[in-house]
Amino acid sequence: MLLGVNIDHIAVLREARKVNDPDLLEAAILSANLADQITIHVREDRRHTNEFDLENILKYCKCVVNLECSVDMIEYALKYKPSRVTLVPEKRQELTTEGGLNLHNEKLQKAINALKQEQIEVSLFIDPNLEDIKKSSSLNADFIELHTGLYANIYNALYTNINQTSYALPELILSKNELKKLLENELQRLKQSASLAKSLNLKVAAGHGLNYKNVKNIVDILEIEELNIGQSIVARSVFVGLEKAILQMKALIKR
């Protein structure tokens, strides 16, 4: 299984003080030597990474670069030409991406066509449901990335003490049996979605909320060939360093 390291959260730390420390390019070069690709998300509000980061990383990192962006930001993808663009939904008020793309956005097919014309691989970040898999195929995407956020939230509610903290999600304050059932259902949705995508010749990635504790169930879905993980790797790096954090995740996802 391939590992993409999302370095946005290093940029979050940089932006906290508005200085070039930590240096995102240094993080990208280190990560590129250990992982299979670098992922960055240039948001419309430039809250962490920006187009200068994208240009710099593409110039100096000789690795696969996966740019996450909204449909309204593809001008930067067309200008700088990363290896892959993952189209994601985006809302200014959200802390992080909250769900999959609306595949019926009238701008989406035009964006996909423009990217593919420039020989940029296109991935769609979608919720794990069969209709969205079929639609992704009809849109002529190369990849789909399954949103694992709900799986991760249920896992946390079931196997950690998060429900006793201020970070609890009200809809997941349930009995253990109810949470186990929800987790089984969400894993089944992920498995069915990955299987259908593979049968339609779509490459399958997954990401969002994955960490060192919950990743094993996703690794066991053999149709998924790549994981994109950021926050948990960067959080672990505070204690063990970025290199060791990446290597520890690589060891966990090894098949």
Side-chain angles (χ1 to χ4, degrees):
M1 176 171 274
L2 302 178
L3 175 64
V5 176
N6 187 321
I7 58 175
D8 290 345
H9 291 277
I10 295 172
V12 169
L13 184 56
R14 176 190 68 185
E15 293 302 303
R17 293 292 295 272
K18 297 294 182 182
V19 294
N20 196 32
D21 187 20
D23 188 330
L24 197 65
L25 179 59
E26 184 178 355
I29 291 171
L30 188 154
S31 301
N33 288 328
L34 301 170
D36 300 290
Q37 73 175 24
I38 302 299
T39 296
I40 66 170
H41 182 177
V42 180
R43 284 178 170 266
E44 291 180 31
D45 61 8
R46 315 302 200 275
R47 68 175 67 168
H48 36 63
T49 56
N50 54 52
E51 53 269 36
F52 174 77
D53 294 319
L54 176 63
E55 181 180 19
N56 229 17
I57 289 169
L58 287 169
K59 183 176 179 181
Y60 294 108
C61 282
K62 306 306 179 188
C63 67
V64 175
V65 175
N66 173 32
L67 170 65
E68 295 181 343
C69 67
S70 71
V71 170
D72 295 320
M73 291 288 287
I74 69 158
E75 64 184 281
Y76 297 102
L78 296 172
K79 178 178 179 180
Y80 295 112
K81 296 181 174 57
S83 307
R84 186 192 309 163
V85 167
T86 299
L87 294 172
V88 300
E90 191 172 301
K91 291 187 288 187
R92 289 271 178 126
Q93 66 272 28
E94 67 187 1
L95 287 175
T96 184
T97 307
E98 295 172 345
L101 270 172
N102 171 14
L103 298 183
H104 299 283
N105 181 342
E106 60 185 19
K107 298 178 182 178
L108 187 56
Q109 186 68 75
K110 185 177 179 181
I112 292 170
N113 293 344
L115 291 166
K116 290 177 76 72
Q117 189 171 346
E118 294 298 324
Q119 300 183 53
I120 299 170
E121 192 172 45
V122 178
S123 179
L124 303 179
F125 186 74
I126 62 172
D127 292 319
N129 68 70
L130 302 185
E131 288 308 310
D132 279 3
I133 300 295
K134 295 172 186 174
K135 182 65 174 176
S136 298
S137 177
S138 71
L139 288 167
N140 200 29
D142 302 294
F143 250 97
I144 51 104
E145 181 170 343
L146 296 173
H147 184 282
T148 52
L150 179 56
Y151 160 78
N153 287 339
I154 299 168
Y155 189 100
N156 281 345
L158 180 58
Y159 291 114
T160 77
N161 72 336
I162 197 168
N163 277 0
Q164 280 71 55
T165 75
S166 60
Y167 303 109
L169 296 173
E171 65 271 22
L172 293 179
I173 300 178
L174 303 168
S175 71
K176 293 222 176 261
N177 284 339
E178 289 173 308
L179 288 170
K180 284 180 181 177
K181 185 64 176 175
L182 283 178
L183 191 67
E184 289 171 7
N185 289 344
E186 189 60 16
L187 274 172
Q188 191 60 28
R189 282 212 311 156
L190 287 161
K191 290 174 183 177
Q192 290 175 347
S193 296
S195 177
L196 177 60
K198 199 73 173 178
S199 74
L200 295 173
N201 295 316
L202 289 163
K203 298 175 187 176
V204 186
H208 203 80
L210 297 179
N211 60 38
Y212 296 83
K213 294 179 180 178
N214 66 27
V215 75
K216 184 63 170 63
N217 288 329
I218 307 303
V219 175
D220 288 342
I221 303 174
L222 297 182
E223 291 86 357
I224 297 175
E225 58 192 80
E226 173 189 296
L227 300 179
N228 287 300
I229 302 176
Q231 195 271 339
S232 65
I233 290 176
V234 174
R236 177 68 64 94
S237 76
V238 171
F239 303 104
V240 304
L242 184 57
E243 178 177 353
K244 191 170 183 180
I246 293 171
L247 292 175
Q248 286 178 348
M249 182 58 76
K250 285 192 75 173
L252 284 174
I253 71 172
K254 186 177 181 180
R255 287 172 170 161

